[in-house]
Amino acid sequence: MELTWVGHATTLIDVDGYRVLTDPLLTKRVAHLRRRRPEPVAETFDVDLVLLSHVHVDHLHLASLKRLRPSARVLTPMGSAKLLRKAGFADVTEIQVGDRIEAGPVTVEVVPAAHKRGRGPHSRVSADPVGFIVNGAGRRVYF
């Protein structure tokens, strides 16, 4: 298992060539947030699985998600799949605390997280935030 911090809450987790990306934020700026690291290289966008922890705009960032391979599988909190499908993602799975998902060589456990539910003041999208434990290659990492 190899971890590469991309910026903000975005980390690339590589398990034997199977690539998992957390809360993709891949642009120079989102609202008041500005990237201080170089923008990610193109190979960062080629991932197999995307983990979304909650629906805030800087964690479920549609412009960044659209830079990823459309065939990537997306795990997202219960109540947010419609937004992702509308953005063009076909392989979207809504998850909740207690779920255990097998994906390639990894097992993803969905665990509780404490954070605000909503997407923002101008959106009706709301979902309980979650954390993830990614197991693979004899290691585990929490996001």
Side-chain angles (χ1 to χ4, degrees), residues 83-128:
L83 179 67
L84 290 156
R85 289 190 183 107
K86 187 175 177 181
F89 287 89
D91 194 357
V92 178
T93 303
E94 287 192 322
I95 46 88
Q96 60 189 349
V97 171
D99 286 347
R100 185 178 178 92
I101 292 89
E102 303 286 335
V106 302
T107 300
V108 178
E109 300 172 51
V110 184
V111 297
H115 203 50
K116 292 182 181 177
R117 300 184 77 240
R119 181 153 173 79
H122 305 292
S123 175
R124 291 187 207 159
V125 176
S126 183
D128 288 331

Coordinates of all heavy atoms in Angstrom, one line a residue, residues 83-128:
L83 N -27.0 13.3 -7.2 CA -26.1 14.4 -7.7 C -25.0 13.8 -8.5 O -24.7 14.4 -9.6 CB -25.6 15.1 -6.4 CG -24.6 16.2 -6.6 CD1 -25.3 17.4 -7.3 CD2 -24.0 16.7 -5.3
L84 N -24.4 12.7 -8.2 CA -23.3 12.2 -8.9 C -23.7 11.6 -10.2 O -23.0 11.7 -11.2 CB -22.6 11.1 -8.1 CG -21.8 11.7 -6.9 CD1 -21.6 10.7 -5.8 CD2 -20.5 12.3 -7.4
R85 N -24.8 10.9 -10.2 CA -25.3 10.3 -11.5 C -25.7 11.4 -12.5 O -25.4 11.3 -13.7 CB -26.5 9.4 -11.2 CG -26.1 8.1 -10.5 CD -27.3 7.1 -10.4 NE -26.8 5.9 -9.7 CZ -27.2 5.7 -8.4 NH1 -28.0 6.4 -7.8 NH2 -26.7 4.6 -7.8
K86 N -26.2 12.5 -12.0 CA -26.6 13.6 -12.8 C -25.3 14.2 -13.5 O -25.3 14.7 -14.6 CB -27.3 14.7 -12.0 CG -27.8 15.8 -12.8 CD -28.6 16.8 -11.9 CE -29.1 18.0 -12.7 NZ -29.8 18.9 -11.9
A87 N -24.2 14.1 -12.8 CA -22.9 14.6 -13.2 C -22.2 13.6 -14.2 O -21.1 13.9 -14.7 CB -21.9 14.9 -12.1
G88 N -22.8 12.4 -14.4 CA -22.3 11.5 -15.4 C -21.7 10.3 -14.9 O -21.2 9.4 -15.7
F89 N -21.7 10.1 -13.6 CA -21.1 8.8 -13.1 C -22.1 7.7 -13.0 O -23.2 7.9 -12.5 CB -20.5 9.1 -11.7 CG -19.2 9.9 -11.7 CD1 -19.3 11.3 -11.7 CD2 -18.0 9.3 -11.8 CE1 -18.1 12.1 -11.8 CE2 -16.8 10.0 -11.9 CZ -16.9 11.4 -11.9
A90 N -21.7 6.6 -13.6 CA -22.7 5.5 -13.7 C -22.5 4.5 -12.5 O -23.5 3.9 -12.1 CB -22.5 4.8 -15.0
D91 N -21.3 4.3 -12.1 CA -21.0 3.3 -11.0 C -20.9 3.9 -9.7 O -19.9 4.1 -9.1 CB -19.8 2.5 -11.4 CG -19.6 1.3 -10.6 OD1 -20.5 1.0 -9.7 OD2 -18.6 0.5 -10.8
V92 N -22.1 4.3 -9.1 CA -22.2 5.0 -7.9 C -22.9 4.1 -6.8 O -24.0 3.6 -7.1 CB -23.0 6.3 -8.0 CG1 -23.1 7.1 -6.7 CG2 -22.3 7.2 -9.0
T93 N -22.3 4.0 -5.7 CA -22.9 3.2 -4.6 C -23.0 4.0 -3.4 O -22.1 4.6 -2.9 CB -21.9 2.0 -4.3 OG1 -21.7 1.2 -5.4 CG2 -22.6 1.1 -3.2
E94 N -24.3 4.1 -2.9 CA -24.5 4.9 -1.7 C -24.2 3.9 -0.5 O -24.5 2.8 -0.5 CB -26.0 5.3 -1.6 CG -26.3 6.5 -2.5 CD -27.6 7.1 -2.2 OE1 -28.6 6.4 -1.9 OE2 -27.7 8.3 -2.3
I95 N -23.5 4.5 0.5 CA -23.0 3.7 1.6 C -23.4 4.4 2.9 O -23.8 5.5 2.9 CB -21.5 3.5 1.5 CG1 -20.7 4.8 1.2 CG2 -21.1 2.5 0.5 CD1 -20.4 5.6 2.4
Q96 N -23.4 3.5 3.9 CA -23.7 4.1 5.3 C -22.8 3.3 6.3 O -22.3 2.2 6.0 CB -25.2 3.9 5.6 CG -25.7 2.5 5.5 CD -27.2 2.4 5.6 OE1 -27.9 3.4 5.9 NE2 -27.8 1.3 5.4
V97 N -22.8 3.8 7.5 CA -22.0 3.2 8.5 C -22.4 1.7 8.7 O -23.5 1.4 8.7 CB -22.2 4.0 9.9 CG1 -21.5 3.3 11.0 CG2 -21.6 5.4 9.8
G98 N -21.3 0.9 8.8 CA -21.5 -0.5 8.9 C -21.3 -1.3 7.6 O -21.1 -2.5 7.6
D99 N -21.4 -0.6 6.5 CA -21.2 -1.3 5.2 C -19.7 -1.7 5.1 O -18.8 -1.1 5.6 CB -21.5 -0.4 4.0 CG -23.0 -0.1 3.8 OD1 -23.8 -0.9 4.5 OD2 -23.4 0.8 3.1
R100 N -19.6 -2.8 4.3 CA -18.2 -3.4 4.0 C -18.3 -3.7 2.5 O -19.1 -4.5 2.1 CB -18.0 -4.6 4.8 CG -16.7 -5.2 4.7 CD -16.6 -6.4 5.7 NE -15.3 -7.1 5.6 CZ -14.3 -6.8 6.3 NH1 -14.4 -5.9 7.3 NH2 -13.1 -7.4 6.2
I101 N -17.4 -3.0 1.8 CA -17.4 -3.1 0.3 C -16.1 -3.8 -0.2 O -15.0 -3.3 0.2 CB -17.6 -1.7 -0.3 CG1 -19.0 -1.2 -0.1 CG2 -17.4 -1.8 -1.9 CD1 -19.1 -0.4 1.1
E102 N -16.2 -4.8 -1.0 CA -15.0 -5.4 -1.7 C -14.9 -4.7 -3.0 O -15.8 -4.6 -3.8 CB -15.3 -6.9 -1.8 CG -15.6 -7.7 -0.6 CD -14.4 -7.9 0.3 OE1 -13.3 -7.9 -0.2 OE2 -14.6 -8.1 1.5
A103 N -13.7 -4.3 -3.3 CA -13.4 -3.6 -4.5 C -11.9 -4.0 -4.9 O -11.0 -3.5 -4.3 CB -13.5 -2.1 -4.4
G104 N -11.8 -4.7 -6.0 CA -10.4 -5.1 -6.4 C -9.7 -5.8 -5.2 O -10.3 -6.6 -4.5
P105 N -8.5 -5.4 -4.9 CA -7.7 -6.0 -3.8 C -8.0 -5.3 -2.5 O -7.3 -5.6 -1.5 CB -6.3 -5.8 -4.3 CG -6.3 -4.6 -5.0 CD -7.6 -4.5 -5.7
V106 N -9.0 -4.4 -2.4 CA -9.2 -3.7 -1.1 C -10.6 -4.1 -0.6 O -11.5 -4.4 -1.3 CB -9.1 -2.2 -1.3 CG1 -7.7 -1.8 -1.7 CG2 -10.1 -1.6 -2.1
T107 N -10.7 -4.0 0.7 CA -11.9 -4.0 1.4 C -12.1 -2.7 2.1 O -11.2 -2.2 2.8 CB -12.0 -5.1 2.5 OG1 -11.7 -6.4 1.8 CG2 -13.3 -5.2 3.2
V108 N -13.2 -2.1 1.9 CA -13.5 -0.8 2.5 C -14.6 -0.9 3.6 O -15.7 -1.4 3.3 CB -14.0 0.3 1.4 CG1 -14.3 1.6 2.1 CG2 -12.9 0.4 0.3
E109 N -14.2 -0.5 4.8 CA -15.2 -0.5 5.9 C -15.7 0.9 6.1 O -14.9 1.8 6.2 CB -14.6 -1.0 7.2 CG -14.0 -2.4 7.1 CD -13.2 -2.7 8.4 OE1 -13.7 -2.5 9.5 OE2 -12.1 -3.2 8.2
V110 N -17.0 1.1 6.2 CA -17.6 2.4 6.4 C -17.8 2.6 7.9 O -18.5 1.8 8.5 CB -18.9 2.6 5.6 CG1 -19.4 4.0 5.7 CG2 -18.7 2.2 4.1
V111 N -17.3 3.7 8.4 CA -17.3 3.9 9.9 C -17.9 5.3 10.1 O -17.9 6.2 9.2 CB -15.9 3.8 10.5 CG1 -15.4 2.3 10.4 CG2 -14.9 4.7 9.9
P112 N -18.3 5.6 11.4 CA -18.9 6.9 11.7 C -17.9 8.1 11.6 O -16.7 7.9 11.8 CB -19.4 6.8 13.1 CG -19.3 5.3 13.5 CD -18.3 4.7 12.5
A113 N -18.4 9.2 11.3 CA -17.6 10.5 11.3 C -18.5 11.6 11.8 O -19.7 11.6 11.5 CB -17.1 10.8 9.9
A114 N -17.9 12.5 12.5 CA -18.7 13.6 13.0 C -18.4 14.9 12.2 O -17.3 15.4 12.1 CB -18.3 13.9 14.5
H115 N -19.5 15.4 11.5 CA -19.3 16.5 10.7 C -20.7 17.0 10.3 O -21.7 16.2 10.4 CB -18.5 16.2 9.4 CG -17.8 17.3 8.7 ND1 -17.1 18.3 9.4 CD2 -17.8 17.7 7.5 CE1 -16.6 19.2 8.6 NE2 -17.1 18.9 7.4
K116 N -20.9 18.2 9.7 CA -22.2 18.7 9.3 C -22.7 17.9 8.1 O -21.9 17.5 7.2 CB -22.1 20.2 9.0 CG -21.9 21.0 10.2 CD -21.8 22.5 9.9 CE -21.6 23.3 11.1 NZ -21.5 24.7 10.8
R117 N -24.0 17.7 8.0 CA -24.6 16.9 7.0 C -24.7 17.6 5.6 O -24.7 16.9 4.6 CB -26.0 16.5 7.4 CG -26.0 15.7 8.7 CD -27.5 15.2 8.9 NE -27.8 14.1 8.1 CZ -28.8 14.1 7.2 NH1 -29.6 15.1 7.1 NH2 -29.0 13.0 6.4
G118 N -25.0 18.8 5.6 CA -25.5 19.5 4.3 C -24.3 19.8 3.4 O -23.2 19.7 3.7
R119 N -24.8 20.1 2.1 CA -23.8 20.5 1.1 C -23.4 21.9 1.1 O -22.3 22.3 0.8 CB -24.4 20.1 -0.3 CG -23.5 20.4 -1.5 CD -23.9 19.5 -2.6 NE -23.1 19.9 -3.8 CZ -21.9 19.5 -4.0 NH1 -21.2 18.8 -3.1 NH2 -21.3 19.8 -5.2
G120 N -24.4 22.7 1.5 CA -24.1 24.2 1.6 C -25.4 24.9 1.7 O -26.5 24.3 1.6
P121 N -25.4 26.2 1.8 CA -26.6 27.0 2.1 C -27.6 27.0 0.9 O -28.8 27.3 1.1 CB -26.1 28.4 2.4 CG -24.7 28.5 1.8 CD -24.2 27.1 1.8
H122 N -27.1 26.7 -0.3 CA -28.0 26.8 -1.5 C -28.3 25.4 -2.1 O -28.6 25.3 -3.3 CB -27.4 27.7 -2.5 CG -27.0 29.1 -2.0 ND1 -28.0 30.0 -1.6 CD2 -25.8 29.6 -1.7 CE1 -27.4 31.1 -1.2 NE2 -26.1 30.9 -1.2
S123 N -28.2 24.4 -1.3 CA -28.5 23.0 -1.8 C -29.3 22.3 -0.8 O -29.2 22.4 0.4 CB -27.1 22.3 -1.9 OG -27.4 21.0 -2.3
R124 N -30.2 21.4 -1.3 CA -31.0 20.5 -0.5 C -30.3 19.2 -0.3 O -30.8 18.4 0.5 CB -32.3 20.3 -1.2 CG -33.2 21.5 -1.2 CD -34.6 21.2 -1.7 NE -35.1 22.4 -2.4 CZ -36.1 22.3 -3.2 NH1 -36.6 21.2 -3.6 NH2 -36.6 23.4 -3.7
V125 N -29.2 19.0 -0.9 CA -28.5 17.7 -0.7 C -28.0 17.6 0.7 O -27.3 18.5 1.2 CB -27.3 17.6 -1.8 CG1 -26.6 16.3 -1.5 CG2 -27.9 17.6 -3.2
S126 N -28.2 16.5 1.3 CA -27.8 16.3 2.7 C -27.5 14.8 2.9 O -28.3 14.0 2.4 CB -28.9 16.8 3.7 OG -28.5 16.6 5.0
A127 N -26.5 14.5 3.6 CA -26.1 13.1 3.9 C -25.3 13.0 5.1 O -24.5 13.9 5.4 CB -25.4 12.5 2.7
D128 N -25.4 11.9 5.8 CA -24.6 11.7 7.0 C -23.1 11.5 6.6 O -22.9 10.7 5.7 CB -25.0 10.5 7.8 CG -26.3 10.8 8.6 OD1 -26.6 11.9 8.9 OD2 -27.1 9.8 8.8

